[in-house]
Amino acid sequence: MTTGLIPGEQPPDPRPSGMRPPQQRRDQGGQGSPHVDNRPRSSVITARAAASFEPVGRSVATARSFVRDTLQGWGFADIVDDAVVLTSELVTNAVVHAGTHADVLCLRSEDGVRIEVADRYPEREIPLQGSPATMGSPDREGGRGLQLCAAIAGRWGVDYTPTHKQVWFQLDLPDRPVGTRTAGPSLPADLLPLADSRVRVAVVQIDRTGAISAWNEDAEELFGYAADQVTGKPLTDLAAWPHTPGTGTGIAEALQLSRWEGSYGIRGATGRVTPVYASHLRVRDTHGEPSTVCLLVRDHERAVLQTPSRIPTSDAPPVDGQSSDPFEVFIGSPAPDDLDGLLQRTVERARDMLDGDSAFLLLATDDETELEVRASTGLPSARQRFARVPVEAGPGRYGSARMPAVHEDLLAVPGAVPLLNGTGMRSVVTVPLKVEGRLTGSLGVAAEAPGRYSNEEALRLQFAADRIALAVESARLGELERLRRGSLSFLVEASDLLAGTLDRDQTLALMAQMTVPTLATWCAVYTISDQASDPYLSYVLHEDEELIDGIKSLLSKIPPPDPVPTPGARVWSAPGEAAHEAALRSSMRSLGLTGGPTHQVASGIGPTLATASAVGGETVVLPLVARNRVIGMLTLGKPTDEHFRQEILELAEDLSRRAALALDNARLYSERTAISQSLQRSLLPPGLPGIDGVEVDVIYRAAGEGNEVGGDFYDVFPISDGAYGFAIGDVCGTGPHAAAVTGLARHALRLLAREGLSGPAVLERLNSAILDEGDRSRFLTLLYGEMRPQDDGSAELKVVCAGHPLPLRLRQDGTVEPAAEPQPLLGVIEDLELYEQTVTLDPGDVLLCVTDGVTERREGTRMLGDDGLADVLSTCTGLTAGAVAARIMRAVERFASDAPSDDMAILAMRVA
């Protein structure tokens, strides 16, 4: 992949060099002619990034990462997910379906971003808008990228040239409110804030290490230091930070916050501390490097920087005769631009309006059967967040959700508002949020004293809820849409990762790493080997690695969840209960208490309080179902008192289906690989026999991943007392089909040789057996011989070479010569007339037998060949048989840089 980034520069023509102007263009975003370039381009391109990707499957994931990193670096987080999804589909079309390189170009402008994906397959036709039949079904392998462009992008189109096809799309940034944030009334001069004749605002920039990197002239005037005196020094050397009891935020922590505003002191060059009022803003540069910009004024001039405080409820003046109720200007300005901020502001205003001790807001699910806690104040929000409560009436249900309700004393009606159970709240008023008559949520305010609220407060709160309901629903739908698009991007990447491996352990690790911390705080994967087996805890992961062993120990002490095939997430309470008991035992031990039902402490790694807290929240189980069988369970958990969002559970269910299929595929692949390897090992000789006075060694390499036996084979076996048979052969082809003939040949040789037949007779009968295989038969080259060690230390060999590379004899003086003559190969003609040749090996002589994978080793146009093999063998004088075989193999491996593509067998025999 090649990339280029030129920030702040007008880009050149994005088409590859040498590309002629487009001959055809399809613009799907406007009404212009296909031959007229009416695409909107920003007048100023502020940055560009380009990358080229090879036509291989992994390039799709690399392209997604390139676009994601580029847009996040530009600060376009709002459109990252859409851009990643569209780029993924278009690059897939190029590198997978078209099989060409893909060139990706990102262009940044003030309004948004334009991404262009070019491939080198211009003859593929792109359908015109208005012809939906040609777009294809979403379930088809191709065409989805253009459908997504039409559905998501603001504009999109296609350019054609004789050598390239380019698909482009443009994503616009969402509108952001522009205008007055806050304003005050005109005041007489004597009421204006007091300031010096010249107000100086010191601008200090702090790098990520806390050191000063910029110091302006006003800072020099205010504090007496020149810029070169303080640059590079930590701000903490100058700041006099107030150490208020009970305040945990220090200067270092304040500099890490996105925004901060408040007072502290700066120690000047004279040693005096100048009180200042500061406004901090955390920023990052175009390279992603964070820093903090600090604006400082003298404390008595704080009005220059200080954000105006909100007008208290009791002091809010009427405006143009309108009501002074703060919910008339309910959220204030500026309104939070995210749902959580809007909901939190809502509950805080509701609490202040009714002078309550707490407030809460729940949002309804799509079917209005449950309410989900989304914001609260004055309550243990971490415990309650995303908890779900049924709406219908009944014990433990939210019966007052559809109408305003006032409860003067919750002790009289326990369970009326389940959210407040155990919080100490006594009186509460709740009102529904409705949009077009449909329940969208519930807003409540509670107090610790009974009898605090009446129908009058309920009417005021209902009026406020009516004012905010539409804005809340609109923000909720916007959040759901962002979650949907983010989920689509997440599932695309998850599917790509899971499809990239067939290793079971790696698949388990990927499942866990994709869920933590994106979907859950911790997870555990249980696997089931067969229907008669119990679930087995196979993998545990927590976002804090130090807690993994504790969680694993805790889960191993409780029964696994039941393997129920019902789809969807179901709550599993056992881990939380075990965590509670573990916390209780730990507390009793720390107090030195024993006895009672909790005095038994399990041995091994005991779950600590931290472990108990980590798994003390909501835990859900999703079945892993593949091919109509439960093969395991995916368990997701939250820390103490936390709950899962419904959208997260739905996303986890989608992920579990993909993960289950990937895990089952890995299981099947592992099983079939083990069976294949076991069958292949059965085709290899069990071992080499010991021959008095003769050294024998073999090196065997089968081509292809996972293959232990191929088309080459060897064998050395006893025939009778003092006689040994040896063979080395090569079946046409590689892999399992060749290995089948290998097994036939090796076993037939042993059987026929032990019947007392001569070498030619053995090979003639083997030739008939191969021809009897019919269409499955393959021709075979074979070197077969019989060896008889002699009393004088030599060895007599009778050899038949049927179409095989000739055996080479190495004498003690270093000369190398063929030890046999070539004869016809087996498996081609029926009537063979073979003969055997007698060779006598003197003490120290070596007989080398190889297959053609050795002699035909290639590097470009060069080949090792028979002469090259003889040259290597001539250097092996005095070596043992094993050393000779090893030197030949090293020479073959070094001859070419590529991995061998053919099976290789080397048989070396040396007379001692």
Side-chain angles (χ1 to χ4, degrees):
M1 181 187 78
T2 57
T3 63
L5 179 62
I6 310 174
E9 182 174 309
Q10 190 76 16
D13 191 338
R15 294 186 294 269
S17 61
M19 182 184 294
R20 294 197 295 270
Q23 297 176 340
Q24 181 182 5
R25 176 175 293 114
R26 304 286 174 82
D27 187 341
Q28 308 299 340
Q31 302 299 323
S33 168
H35 301 284
V36 179
D37 191 353
N38 61 357
R39 295 171 297 174
R41 286 183 180 266
S42 173
S43 58
V44 177
I45 300 298
T46 57
R48 69 188 293 270
S52 180
F53 303 94
E54 297 178 353
V56 293
R58 63 177 180 274
S59 294
V60 180
T62 309
R64 285 198 296 266
S65 299
F66 163 70
V67 172
R68 183 183 297 280
D69 294 343
T70 299
L71 298 192
Q72 287 179 342
W74 289 348
F76 287 172
D78 295 336
I79 58 176
V80 163
D81 290 329
D82 288 350
V84 167
V85 170
L86 296 180
T87 303
S88 177
E89 291 293 336
L90 297 180
V91 173
T92 299
N93 289 342
V95 303
V96 176
H97 302 309
T100 76
H101 283 72
D103 301 319
V104 180
L105 175 67
C106 302
L107 301 175
R108 180 183 72 183
S109 66
E110 297 175 353
D111 300 326
V113 66
R114 172 190 171 100
I115 295 179
E116 301 175 354
V117 179
D119 63 38
R120 298 160 195 185
Y121 198 39
E123 64 269 20
R124 296 190 65 183
E125 180 67 14
I126 300 299
L128 286 171
Q129 188 176 15
S131 303
T134 63
M135 292 288 281
S137 167
D139 298 327
R140 289 182 53 192
E141 189 67 21
R144 292 176 298 192
L146 302 180
Q147 287 185 316
L148 286 174
C149 285
I152 297 177
R155 296 180 68 85
W156 69 280
V158 183
D159 293 343
Y160 286 102
T161 74
T163 58
H164 286 72
K165 179 181 95 273
Q166 175 180 281
V167 182
W168 61 270
F169 62 87
Q170 180 170 313
L171 296 174
D172 299 326
L173 289 176
D175 294 334
R176 293 188 172 94
V178 179
T180 303
R181 291 173 58 89
T182 183
S186 300
L187 295 176
D190 58 344
L191 297 181
L192 297 176
L194 183 63
D196 293 343
S197 58
R198 166 85 189 282
V199 176
R200 297 187 181 274
V201 179
V203 181
V204 182
Q205 191 159 4
I206 312 299
D207 64 20
R208 68 186 310 162
T209 66
I212 298 172
S213 60
W215 184 269
N216 73 343
E217 294 180 358
D218 281 359
E220 295 181 8
E221 291 292 331
L222 286 175
F223 310 121
Y225 298 105
D228 58 353
Q229 292 179 279
V230 296
T231 300
K233 293 185 177 180
L235 182 63
T236 53
D237 291 352
L238 306 180
W241 192 262
H243 295 284
T244 305
T247 301
T249 304
I251 180 66
E253 290 79 8
L255 292 174
Q256 297 298 317
L257 299 175
S258 60
R259 290 182 179 274
W260 186 88
E261 190 173 317
S263 300
Y264 52 91
I266 296 292
R267 189 173 292 103
T270 61
R272 295 181 56 189
V273 174
T274 302
V276 297
Y277 191 84
S279 176
H280 296 177
L281 177 65
R282 188 83 163 156
V283 298
R284 62 173 179 171
D285 61 18
T286 56
H287 302 292
E289 184 69 13
S291 62
T292 303
V293 177
C294 307
L295 305 181
L296 311 174
V297 298
R298 294 184 180 92
D299 190 69
H300 64 274
E301 297 169 340
R302 64 169 55 198
V304 175
L305 299 180
Q306 187 173 23
T307 302
S309 57
R310 304 296 179 194
I311 301 175
T313 302
S314 57
D315 298 332
V319 179
D320 297 333
Q322 295 180 2
S323 170
S324 62
D325 193 308
F327 275 83
E328 288 290 321
V329 287
F330 186 58
I331 293 302
S333 178
D337 56 2
D338 63 298
L339 177 61
D340 289 336
L342 179 63
L343 299 183
Q344 193 61 35
R345 182 85 63 86
T346 298
V347 295
E348 291 171 356
R349 294 299 179 83
R351 179 197 61 189
D352 296 341
M353 183 185 73
L354 298 187
D355 193 23
D357 297 312
S358 64
F360 52 89
L361 193 150
L362 301 88
L363 294 183
T365 56
D366 292 339
D367 57 4
E368 301 180 22
T369 59
E370 287 186 314
L371 293 171
E372 187 177 66
V373 179
R374 291 300 303 269
S376 64
T377 181
L379 296 173
S381 57
R383 183 188 70 180
Q384 303 292 349
R385 186 167 169 79
F386 300 122
R388 291 173 295 279
V389 183
V391 173
E392 291 80 3
R397 296 174 181 266
Y398 208 156
S400 58
R402 300 185 184 277
M403 57 193 312
V406 176
H407 298 280
E408 297 183 353
D409 193 348
L410 290 177
L411 294 182
V413 281
V417 185
L419 177 63
L420 301 179
N421 290 346
T423 62
M425 300 296 161
R426 295 284 297 276
S427 56
V428 61
V429 53
T430 62
V431 297
L433 276 69
K434 293 186 177 181
V435 175
E436 297 179 352
R438 182 172 60 86
L439 178 69
T440 61
S442 179
L443 177 64
V445 178
E448 295 179 352
R452 284 281 298 275
Y453 302 114
S454 63
N455 289 339
E456 181 181 352
E457 283 79 12
L459 290 176
R460 292 181 63 200
L461 190 61
Q462 183 65 70
F463 178 73
D466 293 341
R467 298 287 300 234
I468 198 64
L470 185 59
V472 169
E473 180 66 4
S474 177
R476 185 184 75 87
L477 293 177
E479 180 191 64
L480 287 177
E481 181 64 15
R482 287 191 297 273
L483 283 173
R484 183 190 66 80
R485 295 186 175 184
S487 299
L488 179 60
S489 178
F490 172 79
L491 290 174
V492 167
E493 295 193 25
S495 299
D496 187 54
L497 288 172
L498 289 170
T501 179
L502 287 172
D503 181 82
R504 176 183 176 277
D505 294 336
Q506 188 174 0
T507 302
L508 290 172
L510 283 174
M511 290 170 56
Q513 291 165 7
M514 286 186 292
T515 57
V516 176
T518 305
L519 305 180
T521 306
W522 65 271
C523 84
V525 183
Y526 291 85
T527 56
I528 304 174
S529 57
D530 54 65
Q531 295 181 352
S533 302
D534 293 329
Y536 174 74
L537 182 61
S538 298
Y539 203 92
V540 175
L541 184 65
H542 190 281
E543 59 184 9
D544 183 355
E545 293 183 358
E546 296 181 356
L547 298 176
I548 294 177
D549 289 338
I551 296 175
K552 190 180 299 183
S553 174
L554 180 68
L555 294 178
S556 65
K557 293 177 172 61
I558 60 177
D562 296 330
V564 178
T566 306
R570 54 190 173 92
V571 176
W572 185 31
S573 60
E577 295 171 355
H580 176 75
E581 294 177 2
L584 182 59
R585 287 198 299 268
S586 180
S587 299
M588 294 185 66
R589 287 197 302 269
S590 65
L591 297 174
L593 301 177
T594 58
T598 61
H599 74 281
Q600 297 291 336
V601 179
S603 59
I605 303 176
T608 63
L609 286 175
T611 303
S613 175
V615 300
E618 186 175 42
T619 303
V620 297
V621 177
L622 297 106
L624 298 174
V625 180
R627 298 175 176 90
N628 299 321
R629 187 174 72 87
V630 180
I631 63 171
M633 286 86 70
L634 177 63
T635 303
L636 307 180
K638 287 283 190 180
T640 299
D641 296 330
E642 288 196 19
H643 300 265
F644 285 97
R645 297 186 60 173
Q646 187 63 35
E647 294 84 0
I648 295 297
L649 294 179
E650 293 172 357
L651 180 58
E653 185 177 357
D654 285 339
L655 176 63
S656 68
R657 286 195 291 267
R658 290 165 169 79
L661 188 59
L663 184 61
D664 200 45
N665 288 339
R667 177 188 63 83
L668 292 174
Y669 177 78
S670 298
E671 290 179 355
R672 292 178 182 179
T673 300
I675 293 172
S676 174
Q677 291 176 347
S678 177
L679 291 174
Q680 291 183 60
R681 292 190 195 102
S682 69
L683 300 177
L684 293 174
L688 298 177
I691 304 177
D692 293 337
V694 179
E695 299 174 359
V696 181
D697 208 331
V698 173
I699 295 179
Y700 183 83
R701 301 282 175 83
E705 183 179 359
N707 290 334
E708 296 192 20
V709 177
D712 291 6
F713 69 96
Y714 69 92
D715 199 1
V716 181
F717 55 92
I719 299 176
S720 60
D721 292 340
Y724 296 87
F726 65 90
I728 184 168
D730 185 0
V731 179
C732 173
T734 61
H737 297 292
V741 180
T742 295
L744 169 65
R746 194 178 68 82
H747 291 95
L749 282 175
R750 287 198 173 206
L751 179 63
L752 295 172
R754 287 171 178 170
E755 290 294 325
L757 299 176
S758 65
V762 169
L763 268 58
E764 289 167 3
R765 284 166 173 75
L766 175 59
N767 180 64
S768 300
I770 294 174
L771 293 174
D772 288 343
E773 291 292 305
D775 294 338
R776 297 182 300 174
S777 67
R778 291 168 175 255
F779 67 80
L780 166 67
T781 68
L782 179 63
L783 172 66
Y784 173 74
E786 295 180 1
M787 173 187 293
R788 284 183 170 81
Q790 303 298 309
D791 295 336
D792 59 359
S794 63
E796 182 183 80
L797 280 66
K798 293 182 179 180
V799 182
V800 181
C801 185
H804 199 77
L806 299 180
L808 298 179
R809 175 181 182 178
L810 172 64
R811 297 181 182 273
Q812 294 189 47
D813 59 3
T815 58
V816 177
E817 61 185 10
E821 296 177 355
Q823 300 184 57
L825 51 75
L826 308 182
V828 178
I829 59 178
E830 295 184 1
D831 298 326
L832 281 180
E833 294 183 2
L834 302 175
Y835 58 92
E836 62 184 9
Q837 298 172 269
T838 301
V839 180
T840 301
L841 296 182
D842 298 327
D845 288 354
V846 175
L847 185 71
L848 177 67
C849 309
V850 300
T851 58
D852 60 5
V854 174
T855 56
E856 295 180 2
R857 178 73 162 148
R858 293 180 180 273
E859 175 67 19
T861 59
R862 298 186 307 120
M863 186 172 71
L864 180 61
D866 297 333
D867 294 339
L869 179 63
D871 291 341
V872 177
L873 181 60
S874 66
T875 66
C876 298
T877 305
L879 299 182
T880 63
V884 171
R887 179 169 292 187
I888 298 298
M889 179 55 72
R890 285 197 301 272
V892 172
E893 292 174 341
R894 292 172 181 172
F895 187 80
S897 57
D898 296 336
S901 59
D902 195 5
D903 304 328
M904 291 188 294
I906 301 173
L907 172 61
M909 295 182 290
R910 178 179 180 272
V911 179

